Amino acid sequence: MSTDHFQQLVDQQYALLYRFALSLAKSEADAADLTQQTFFLWASKGDQLRDRSEARSWLFTTSYREFLGRRRHEVRFPKVELDDVREQEMSISPNVNVFDSTTVLQALRNVEELFRAPLTLFYLEQFSYQEIADILEVPIGTVMSRLSRGKA
Amino acid sequence: MDNREAKFVLNAYRPGGQDASDPRFADALEQARRDPVLEHWFNESIEFDTAMTGKLCAIAVPPDLRENILAGAKVSRPLRWSKPFVNWAIAAALISMAILGSLIWQETRPRHLAGWQNEALGVISSLVRQESSFDAQSHDAGELLAWLRANHAPAAEKLPPNLGRLESLGCRTFSWRGQPISVICFMRADGGLIHLVCTKAVDGEREDVPRFVQQGEWATATWRSGEMTYMLAFEGQTDQLRSYVL
Protein backbone atom coordinates (compact mmCIF):
# COMPACT_ATOMS: atom_id res chain seq x y z
CA MET A 1 0.00 0.00 0.00
CA SER A 2 1.40 3.36 -1.00
CA THR A 3 1.94 6.23 1.41
CA ASP A 4 -0.65 8.26 -0.49
CA HIS A 5 -3.32 5.60 -0.06
CA PHE A 6 -2.51 5.25 3.59
CA GLN A 7 -2.70 8.98 4.15
CA GLN A 8 -5.99 9.12 2.26
CA LEU A 9 -7.45 6.43 4.49
CA VAL A 10 -6.24 8.20 7.61
CA ASP A 11 -7.80 11.46 6.46
CA GLN A 12 -11.12 9.76 5.78
CA GLN A 13 -11.39 7.69 8.91
CA TYR A 14 -9.20 8.84 11.77
CA ALA A 15 -11.68 11.30 13.30
CA LEU A 16 -14.56 8.82 13.20
CA LEU A 17 -12.34 6.08 14.54
CA TYR A 18 -11.13 8.31 17.36
CA ARG A 19 -14.68 9.20 18.38
CA PHE A 20 -15.63 5.55 18.36
CA ALA A 21 -12.57 4.76 20.46
CA LEU A 22 -13.40 7.62 22.80
CA SER A 23 -16.79 6.13 23.56
CA LEU A 24 -15.12 2.86 24.47
CA ALA A 25 -11.96 4.01 26.23
CA LYS A 26 -11.57 5.68 29.59
CA SER A 27 -9.75 8.79 28.44
CA GLU A 28 -8.76 10.86 25.44
CA ALA A 29 -5.23 9.53 25.72
CA ASP A 30 -6.46 5.92 25.63
CA ALA A 31 -8.72 6.71 22.66
CA ALA A 32 -5.90 8.36 20.73
CA ASP A 33 -3.63 5.45 21.51
CA LEU A 34 -6.28 2.97 20.40
CA THR A 35 -6.77 4.89 17.14
CA GLN A 36 -3.05 5.03 16.43
CA GLN A 37 -2.60 1.38 17.24
CA THR A 38 -5.39 0.48 14.80
CA PHE A 39 -3.74 2.41 11.98
CA PHE A 40 -0.36 0.91 12.82
CA LEU A 41 -1.91 -2.52 12.49
CA TRP A 42 -3.39 -1.47 9.17
CA ALA A 43 0.04 -0.26 8.03
CA SER A 44 1.56 -3.66 8.75
CA LYS A 45 -1.35 -5.98 7.89
CA GLY A 46 -3.63 -3.98 5.62
CA ASP A 47 -2.00 -5.47 2.53
CA GLN A 48 -3.61 -8.79 3.41
CA LEU A 49 -7.10 -7.37 2.85
CA ARG A 50 -8.15 -8.29 -0.68
CA ASP A 51 -11.14 -5.97 -0.97
CA ARG A 52 -9.98 -2.44 -0.26
CA SER A 53 -13.59 -1.26 0.00
CA GLU A 54 -13.71 -3.12 3.31
CA ALA A 55 -10.89 -1.07 4.79
CA ARG A 56 -13.24 1.04 6.88
CA SER A 57 -14.97 -1.98 8.40
CA TRP A 58 -11.56 -3.56 8.99
CA LEU A 59 -10.42 -0.51 10.92
CA PHE A 60 -13.43 -0.41 13.19
CA THR A 61 -13.44 -4.18 13.72
CA THR A 62 -9.75 -4.10 14.58
CA SER A 63 -10.21 -1.13 16.88
CA TYR A 64 -13.01 -2.91 18.73
CA ARG A 65 -11.00 -6.13 19.05
CA GLU A 66 -8.03 -4.16 20.26
CA PHE A 67 -10.20 -2.47 22.87
CA LEU A 68 -11.59 -5.81 24.06
CA GLY A 69 -8.07 -7.22 24.25
CA ARG A 70 -6.84 -4.30 26.33
CA ARG A 71 -9.82 -4.49 28.62
CA ARG A 72 -9.18 -8.18 29.26
CA HIS A 73 -5.58 -7.29 30.05
CA GLU A 74 -6.63 -4.52 32.45
CA VAL A 75 -8.97 -6.87 34.28
CA ARG A 76 -6.02 -9.16 34.92
CA PHE A 77 -3.46 -6.40 35.48
CA PRO A 78 -5.27 -3.29 36.79
CA LYS A 79 -3.36 -0.04 36.39
CA VAL A 80 -3.49 3.22 38.31
CA GLU A 81 -4.93 6.07 36.25
CA LEU A 82 -3.94 9.70 36.49
CA ASP A 83 -6.86 11.55 38.04
CA ASP A 84 -9.24 13.59 35.92
CA VAL A 85 -7.93 16.96 37.13
CA ARG A 86 -4.43 16.06 36.02
CA GLU A 87 -5.81 14.87 32.71
CA GLN A 88 -7.54 18.22 32.09
CA GLU A 89 -4.45 20.16 33.09
CA MET A 90 -2.50 18.24 30.51
CA SER A 91 -5.01 18.97 27.74
CA ILE A 92 -3.48 21.29 25.15
CA SER A 93 -6.43 22.80 23.32
CA PRO A 94 -9.80 22.68 25.11
CA ASN A 95 -12.74 22.99 22.70
CA VAL A 96 -15.34 25.71 23.36
CA ASN A 97 -18.15 23.30 22.52
CA VAL A 98 -16.69 20.54 24.61
CA PHE A 99 -19.29 20.81 27.30
CA ASP A 100 -22.23 19.62 25.20
CA SER A 101 -20.27 16.95 23.45
CA THR A 102 -18.75 15.85 26.70
CA THR A 103 -22.19 15.51 28.20
CA VAL A 104 -23.26 13.36 25.26
CA LEU A 105 -20.12 11.34 25.51
CA GLN A 106 -20.60 10.92 29.22
CA ALA A 107 -24.15 9.77 28.62
CA LEU A 108 -22.88 7.24 26.12
CA ARG A 109 -20.24 6.04 28.53
CA ASN A 110 -22.92 5.46 31.13
CA VAL A 111 -24.59 3.02 28.78
CA GLU A 112 -23.69 -0.57 29.46
CA GLU A 113 -20.68 -1.53 27.41
CA LEU A 114 -22.54 -4.21 25.50
CA PHE A 115 -24.80 -1.55 23.95
CA ARG A 116 -22.30 1.28 23.81
CA ALA A 117 -20.30 0.11 20.78
CA PRO A 118 -23.32 -0.39 18.47
CA LEU A 119 -24.87 2.87 19.67
CA THR A 120 -21.72 4.83 18.94
CA LEU A 121 -21.34 3.28 15.53
CA PHE A 122 -24.96 4.07 14.84
CA TYR A 123 -24.75 7.67 16.02
CA LEU A 124 -21.63 8.27 14.04
CA GLU A 125 -24.17 7.75 11.27
CA GLN A 126 -21.71 6.24 8.93
CA PHE A 127 -22.68 2.69 9.61
CA SER A 128 -25.71 0.67 8.70
CA TYR A 129 -26.95 -2.06 11.00
CA GLN A 130 -25.37 -4.54 8.56
CA GLU A 131 -21.98 -2.85 8.84
CA ILE A 132 -22.29 -2.66 12.62
CA ALA A 133 -23.06 -6.38 12.64
CA ASP A 134 -19.92 -7.02 10.58
CA ILE A 135 -17.74 -4.81 12.76
CA LEU A 136 -18.94 -6.27 16.05
CA GLU A 137 -19.19 -9.74 14.53
CA VAL A 138 -22.74 -10.34 15.75
CA PRO A 139 -25.96 -11.11 13.84
CA ILE A 140 -28.11 -8.26 12.51
CA GLY A 141 -30.89 -9.14 14.95
CA THR A 142 -28.48 -8.71 17.84
CA VAL A 143 -27.45 -5.28 16.56
CA MET A 144 -31.07 -4.17 16.33
CA SER A 145 -31.76 -5.55 19.76
CA ARG A 146 -28.77 -3.78 21.27
CA LEU A 147 -29.64 -0.51 19.57
CA SER A 148 -33.17 -0.75 20.82
CA ARG A 149 -32.16 -1.55 24.38
CA GLY A 150 -29.27 0.91 24.38
CA LYS A 151 -31.53 3.77 23.39
CA ALA A 152 -34.15 2.91 25.97
CA MET B 1 -46.29 -5.92 12.28
CA ASP B 2 -47.35 -4.20 15.48
CA ASN B 3 -45.88 -0.96 16.87
CA ARG B 4 -43.54 -2.80 19.22
CA GLU B 5 -41.94 -4.68 16.35
CA ALA B 6 -41.86 -1.51 14.24
CA LYS B 7 -40.04 0.40 17.01
CA PHE B 8 -37.55 -2.42 17.31
CA VAL B 9 -36.70 -2.14 13.63
CA LEU B 10 -36.86 1.66 13.37
CA ASN B 11 -34.35 2.05 16.18
CA ALA B 12 -31.75 0.96 13.61
CA TYR B 13 -32.92 3.50 11.02
CA ARG B 14 -30.23 6.11 10.53
CA PRO B 15 -31.41 9.71 10.88
CA GLY B 16 -29.63 10.81 7.71
CA GLY B 17 -32.05 8.82 5.57
CA GLN B 18 -29.45 6.42 4.19
CA ASP B 19 -31.72 3.50 4.98
CA ALA B 20 -34.82 4.83 3.20
CA SER B 21 -34.58 2.28 0.40
CA ASP B 22 -33.60 -0.67 2.62
CA PRO B 23 -36.44 -3.24 2.27
CA ARG B 24 -35.97 -4.36 5.89
CA PHE B 25 -37.38 -0.98 7.02
CA ALA B 26 -40.20 -0.84 4.49
CA ASP B 27 -42.89 -2.47 6.63
CA ALA B 28 -41.91 -0.49 9.75
CA LEU B 29 -41.88 2.81 7.84
CA GLU B 30 -45.26 1.99 6.36
CA GLN B 31 -46.56 1.22 9.84
CA ALA B 32 -45.26 4.61 11.08
CA ARG B 33 -47.05 6.35 8.23
CA ARG B 34 -50.31 4.63 9.14
CA ASP B 35 -50.11 5.07 12.91
CA PRO B 36 -49.89 8.69 14.19
CA VAL B 37 -48.66 7.58 17.61
CA LEU B 38 -45.85 5.56 16.09
CA GLU B 39 -45.12 8.35 13.61
CA HIS B 40 -44.81 10.84 16.45
CA TRP B 41 -42.42 8.51 18.31
CA PHE B 42 -40.42 7.96 15.13
CA ASN B 43 -40.09 11.70 14.42
CA GLU B 44 -38.91 12.33 17.98
CA SER B 45 -36.55 9.43 17.68
CA ILE B 46 -35.07 10.81 14.47
CA GLU B 47 -34.72 14.24 16.07
CA PHE B 48 -32.98 12.77 19.09
CA ASP B 49 -30.67 10.63 16.98
CA THR B 50 -29.79 13.60 14.76
CA ALA B 51 -28.88 15.66 17.81
CA MET B 52 -26.80 12.79 19.20
CA THR B 53 -25.00 12.39 15.89
CA GLY B 54 -24.30 16.11 15.75
CA LYS B 55 -22.89 16.15 19.25
CA LEU B 56 -20.77 13.08 18.71
CA CYS B 57 -19.36 14.38 15.46
CA ALA B 58 -18.54 17.65 17.20
CA ILE B 59 -16.19 15.96 19.62
CA ALA B 60 -12.82 17.51 19.06
CA VAL B 61 -10.07 15.28 17.81
CA PRO B 62 -6.61 15.86 19.32
CA PRO B 63 -4.85 18.23 16.91
CA ASP B 64 -1.72 16.14 16.72
CA LEU B 65 -3.45 12.77 16.28
CA ARG B 66 -3.32 12.72 12.48
CA GLU B 67 0.36 13.59 12.34
CA ASN B 68 1.14 11.06 15.05
CA ILE B 69 -0.64 8.32 13.11
CA LEU B 70 1.19 9.13 9.89
CA ALA B 71 4.56 9.44 11.58
CA GLY B 72 4.03 6.33 13.69
CA ALA B 73 2.88 4.21 10.77
CA LYS B 74 5.95 5.24 8.81
CA VAL B 75 8.26 3.73 11.41
CA SER B 76 5.94 0.80 12.17
CA ARG B 77 5.58 -0.34 8.59
CA PRO B 78 7.48 -3.57 7.98
CA LEU B 79 10.59 -3.34 5.85
CA ARG B 80 10.00 -4.39 2.26
CA TRP B 81 12.85 -6.68 1.48
CA SER B 82 13.89 -7.03 -2.10
CA LYS B 83 12.74 -10.25 -3.72
CA PRO B 84 16.24 -11.53 -4.59
CA PHE B 85 17.30 -11.00 -0.98
CA VAL B 86 14.24 -12.86 0.29
CA ASN B 87 14.95 -15.72 -2.14
CA TRP B 88 18.55 -15.95 -0.97
CA ALA B 89 17.44 -15.82 2.65
CA ILE B 90 14.95 -18.65 2.05
CA ALA B 91 17.59 -20.71 0.23
CA ALA B 92 20.09 -20.14 3.07
CA ALA B 93 17.47 -21.13 5.63
CA LEU B 94 16.64 -24.33 3.72
CA ILE B 95 20.32 -25.28 3.43
CA SER B 96 20.84 -24.62 7.15
CA MET B 97 17.82 -26.77 7.96
CA ALA B 98 19.12 -29.57 5.73
CA ILE B 99 22.53 -29.48 7.43
CA LEU B 100 20.95 -29.36 10.86
CA GLY B 101 18.60 -32.20 9.93
CA SER B 102 21.55 -34.26 8.70
CA LEU B 103 23.44 -33.65 11.96
CA ILE B 104 20.39 -34.55 14.02
CA TRP B 105 19.94 -37.68 11.92
CA GLN B 106 23.56 -38.60 12.48
CA GLU B 107 23.07 -38.27 16.22
CA THR B 108 19.68 -39.90 16.53
CA ARG B 109 19.71 -42.69 13.96
CA PRO B 110 19.54 -46.22 15.35
CA ARG B 111 22.81 -47.42 16.83
CA HIS B 112 23.02 -50.88 15.38
CA LEU B 113 25.23 -52.75 12.97
CA ALA B 114 24.43 -53.63 9.39
CA GLY B 115 24.07 -57.22 8.24
CA TRP B 116 27.60 -57.47 6.82
CA GLN B 117 29.03 -56.16 10.08
CA ASN B 118 27.23 -58.78 12.14
CA GLU B 119 28.46 -61.40 9.72
CA ALA B 120 32.03 -60.06 10.15
CA LEU B 121 31.75 -60.25 13.95
CA GLY B 122 30.63 -63.85 13.55
CA VAL B 123 33.69 -64.66 11.43
CA ILE B 124 36.00 -62.87 13.90
CA SER B 125 34.46 -64.73 16.85
CA SER B 126 35.02 -67.96 15.00
CA LEU B 127 38.70 -67.05 14.42
CA VAL B 128 39.20 -65.98 18.04
CA ARG B 129 37.69 -69.24 19.30
CA GLN B 130 39.88 -71.03 16.78
CA GLU B 131 36.81 -72.62 15.19
CA SER B 132 38.14 -71.44 11.84
CA SER B 133 41.56 -70.49 10.50
CA PHE B 134 43.17 -67.61 8.63
CA ASP B 135 43.44 -67.64 4.85
CA ALA B 136 46.92 -66.12 5.18
CA GLN B 137 49.19 -65.54 8.13
CA SER B 138 51.91 -62.94 8.62
CA HIS B 139 53.22 -60.63 11.35
CA ASP B 140 53.56 -57.95 8.69
CA ALA B 141 50.29 -56.28 7.81
CA GLY B 142 51.79 -55.09 4.51
CA GLU B 143 52.19 -58.66 3.39
CA LEU B 144 48.59 -59.47 4.28
CA LEU B 145 47.38 -56.46 2.31
CA ALA B 146 49.43 -57.58 -0.66
CA TRP B 147 47.98 -61.10 -0.40
CA LEU B 148 44.42 -59.68 -0.28
CA ARG B 149 45.03 -57.52 -3.36
CA ALA B 150 46.54 -60.42 -5.19
CA ASN B 151 43.42 -62.46 -4.45
CA HIS B 152 41.08 -59.65 -5.52
CA ALA B 153 39.80 -59.30 -1.99
CA PRO B 154 39.03 -55.95 -0.39
CA ALA B 155 42.18 -54.46 1.01
CA ALA B 156 42.71 -51.26 2.95
CA GLU B 157 44.22 -48.49 0.88
CA LYS B 158 45.96 -47.22 3.99
CA LEU B 159 45.93 -48.48 7.56
CA PRO B 160 45.12 -46.11 10.42
CA PRO B 161 48.51 -45.02 11.87
CA ASN B 162 48.10 -46.59 15.33
CA LEU B 163 46.86 -49.82 13.80
CA GLY B 164 49.73 -50.03 11.31
CA ARG B 165 52.19 -50.10 14.18
CA LEU B 166 50.66 -53.27 15.59
CA GLU B 167 51.81 -56.78 14.76
CA SER B 168 49.37 -58.62 12.52
CA LEU B 169 48.39 -62.25 12.91
CA GLY B 170 46.59 -63.15 9.75
CA CYS B 171 43.67 -62.39 7.43
CA ARG B 172 40.53 -64.09 6.19
CA THR B 173 38.10 -63.38 3.41
CA PHE B 174 34.42 -64.19 3.18
CA SER B 175 31.34 -62.86 1.44
CA TRP B 176 28.02 -61.63 2.61
CA ARG B 177 25.19 -61.69 0.05
CA GLY B 178 27.79 -61.75 -2.72
CA GLN B 179 29.72 -58.84 -1.25
CA PRO B 180 33.42 -59.69 -0.69
CA ILE B 181 34.74 -58.81 2.77
CA SER B 182 38.13 -59.22 4.38
CA VAL B 183 39.39 -59.26 7.98
CA ILE B 184 42.92 -58.65 9.28
CA CYS B 185 43.61 -59.48 12.90
CA PHE B 186 46.25 -57.57 14.92
CA MET B 187 47.86 -58.14 18.29
CA ARG B 188 47.49 -55.20 20.65
CA ALA B 189 50.24 -54.08 23.01
CA ASP B 190 48.29 -55.45 25.99
CA GLY B 191 48.07 -58.87 24.37
CA GLY B 192 44.49 -58.56 23.23
CA LEU B 193 43.27 -58.68 19.64
CA ILE B 194 41.84 -56.05 17.35
CA HIS B 195 40.34 -56.67 13.92
CA LEU B 196 40.05 -54.54 10.81
CA VAL B 197 37.19 -55.45 8.49
CA CYS B 198 37.19 -54.02 4.99
CA THR B 199 34.69 -54.03 2.14
CA LYS B 200 33.84 -51.98 -0.90
CA ALA B 201 31.76 -48.95 -0.02
CA VAL B 202 28.15 -48.84 -1.18
CA ASP B 203 27.26 -45.89 -3.41
CA GLY B 204 25.71 -43.06 -1.47
CA GLU B 205 27.18 -44.26 1.81
CA ARG B 206 28.67 -41.34 3.75
CA GLU B 207 30.63 -42.26 6.83
CA ASP B 208 33.61 -39.95 6.84
CA VAL B 209 33.34 -39.61 10.61
CA PRO B 210 33.69 -42.89 12.55
CA ARG B 211 30.46 -44.16 14.05
CA PHE B 212 30.93 -46.05 17.28
CA VAL B 213 28.57 -48.85 18.20
CA GLN B 214 28.76 -51.10 21.23
CA GLN B 215 27.18 -54.46 20.54
CA GLY B 216 27.41 -56.82 23.45
CA GLU B 217 31.05 -57.38 24.29
CA TRP B 218 32.12 -56.01 20.92
CA ALA B 219 33.10 -52.40 20.46
CA THR B 220 33.05 -51.29 16.84
CA ALA B 221 33.91 -48.19 14.84
CA THR B 222 32.79 -47.85 11.23
CA TRP B 223 33.81 -45.24 8.69
CA ARG B 224 34.30 -44.72 5.01
CA SER B 225 37.52 -43.66 3.35
CA GLY B 226 37.77 -43.41 -0.41
CA GLU B 227 36.16 -46.43 -2.08
CA MET B 228 36.24 -48.59 1.03
CA THR B 229 34.24 -48.97 4.18
CA TYR B 230 36.06 -50.07 7.33
CA MET B 231 35.01 -51.54 10.62
CA LEU B 232 37.40 -51.83 13.51
CA ALA B 233 36.30 -54.28 16.21
CA PHE B 234 37.57 -55.68 19.48
CA GLU B 235 36.20 -57.05 22.70
CA GLY B 236 36.02 -54.04 25.00
CA GLN B 237 34.51 -50.56 25.19
CA THR B 238 34.18 -48.08 22.33
CA ASP B 239 36.25 -45.46 24.20
CA GLN B 240 39.28 -47.72 23.90
CA LEU B 241 38.77 -47.90 20.13
CA ARG B 242 39.15 -44.21 19.48
CA SER B 243 42.94 -44.18 19.72
CA TYR B 244 43.15 -46.78 16.91
CA VAL B 245 40.80 -44.96 14.60
CA LEU B 246 42.19 -41.44 14.87
Side-chain angles (χ1 to χ4, degrees):
Chain A
M1 184 176 47
S2 70
T3 307
D4 287 346
H5 283 133
F6 181 75
Q7 189 168 325
Q8 198 178 347
L9 188 67
V10 171
D11 287 338
Q12 286 170 351
Q13 303 299 333
Y14 89 102
L16 278 174
L17 197 61
Y18 169 76
R19 287 168 188 139
F20 174 56
L22 193 58
S23 74
L24 302 172
K26 289 178 181 173
S27 67
E28 290 178 7
D30 283 348
D33 188 62
L34 193 59
T35 308
Q36 289 184 42
Q37 174 66 10
T38 304
F39 276 108
F40 295 167
L41 288 171
W42 171 261
S44 59
K45 296 180 180 174
D47 284 343
Q48 296 167 13
L49 192 68
R50 287 182 184 172
D51 188 353
R52 286 305 164 88
S53 66
E54 292 177 359
R56 192 175 67 144
S57 288
W58 189 97
L59 288 171
F60 280 81
T61 302
T62 302
S63 179
Y64 186 60
R65 283 183 187 162
E66 192 70 11
F67 163 73
L68 293 177
R70 289 180 183 197
R71 196 194 53 186
R72 276 195 292 272
H73 186 267
E74 282 177 10
V75 168
R76 278 185 288 176
F77 308 102
K79 63 177 180 180
V80 178
E81 291 284 342
L82 293 172
D83 57 48
D84 291 340
V85 176
R86 180 89 186 275
E87 183 77 28
Q88 284 175 4
E89 282 172 357
M90 293 196 316
S91 178
I92 298 169
S93 58
N95 191 301
V96 289
N97 295 319
V98 77
F99 181 78
D100 285 346
S101 293
T102 303
T103 306
V104 169
L105 185 63
Q106 199 53 50
L108 255 184
R109 282 178 173 165
N110 287 336
V111 175
E112 200 177 326
E113 191 183 293
L114 188 65
F115 310 118
R116 201 190 316 154
L119 268 182
T120 309
L121 291 170
F122 173 79
Y123 283 134
L124 285 172
E125 209 182 345
Q126 303 291 324
F127 295 102
S128 68
Y129 57 88
Q130 177 67 65
E131 287 172 314
I132 296 172
D134 291 341
I135 290 168
L136 302 182
E137 297 171 316
V138 294
I140 291 172
T142 303
V143 171
M144 287 189 164
S145 174
R146 288 181 185 175
L147 285 175
S148 187
R149 291 175 64 187
K151 285 182 175 183
Chain B
M1 176 179 282
D2 60 22
N3 282 1
R4 201 171 146 211
E5 285 174 312
K7 280 184 178 180
F8 179 85
V9 173
L10 291 173
N11 266 317
Y13 188 87
R14 286 177 288 180
Q18 301 97 318
D19 300 319
S21 58
D22 187 331
R24 285 179 191 265
F25 293 106
D27 287 349
L29 288 170
E30 182 57 31
Q31 177 82 358
R33 273 191 285 273
R34 280 202 306 262
D35 188 321
V37 177
L38 182 64
E39 186 178 32
H40 179 70
W41 170 88
F42 183 53
N43 288 336
E44 282 190 338
S45 176
I46 290 286
E47 198 177 326
F48 177 81
D49 290 345
T50 304
M52 284 289 285
T53 294
K55 297 297 179 191
L56 264 184
C57 289
I59 292 173
V61 177
D64 55 353
L65 179 59
R66 179 181 176 277
E67 297 311 315
N68 286 346
I69 291 169
L70 294 176
K74 202 174 285 181
V75 295
S76 302
R77 206 170 294 183
L79 292 171
R80 301 287 176 214
W81 293 354
S82 67
K83 198 171 181 184
F85 179 79
V86 171
N87 289 342
W88 278 109
I90 290 170
L94 288 174
I95 290 167
S96 301
M97 285 170 68
I99 292 170
L100 185 64
S102 169
L103 290 174
I104 290 171
W105 180 81
Q106 291 271 355
E107 288 302 314
T108 58
R109 64 188 160 160
R111 295 285 182 181
H112 59 77
L113 299 177
W116 69 270
Q117 293 174 298
N118 283 312
E119 182 71 16
L121 289 180
V123 169
I124 293 167
S125 297
S126 170
L127 287 168
V128 170
R129 289 196 298 267
Q130 297 183 331
E131 293 168 359
S132 60
S133 55
F134 292 114
D135 293 328
Q137 287 181 293
S138 171
H139 295 305
D140 183 351
E143 287 182 5
L144 295 175
L145 289 172
W147 184 88
L148 289 169
R149 289 189 192 105
N151 288 277
H152 307 289
E157 293 157 1
K158 186 182 173 187
L159 292 174
N162 287 345
L163 200 62
R165 284 193 277 270
L166 298 181
E167 186 179 314
S168 61
L169 295 175
C171 68
R172 183 178 171 85
T173 60
F174 64 99
S175 69
W176 183 78
R177 294 186 180 175
Q179 180 184 357
I181 300 171
S182 66
V183 181
I184 300 177
C185 298
F186 297 85
M187 179 75 77
R188 301 200 317 264
D190 60 2
L193 300 175
I194 186 165
H195 316 275
L196 181 67
V197 183
C198 180
T199 187
K200 195 167 170 37
V202 177
D203 287 342
E205 193 176 45
R206 295 182 61 192
E207 291 280 354
D208 297 333
V209 179
R211 184 166 63 99
F212 294 90
V213 176
Q214 183 76 38
Q215 181 157 297
E217 70 270 56
W218 289 102
T220 67
T222 307
W223 72 98
R224 175 176 179 168
S225 177
E227 298 299 310
M228 309 301 285
T229 295
Y230 302 95
M231 178 175 78
L232 199 58
F234 87 128
E235 289 175 278
Q237 298 301 311
T238 51
D239 288 342
Q240 298 169 272
L241 261 185
R242 293 180 192 276
S243 62
Y244 294 100
V245 175
L246 301 174

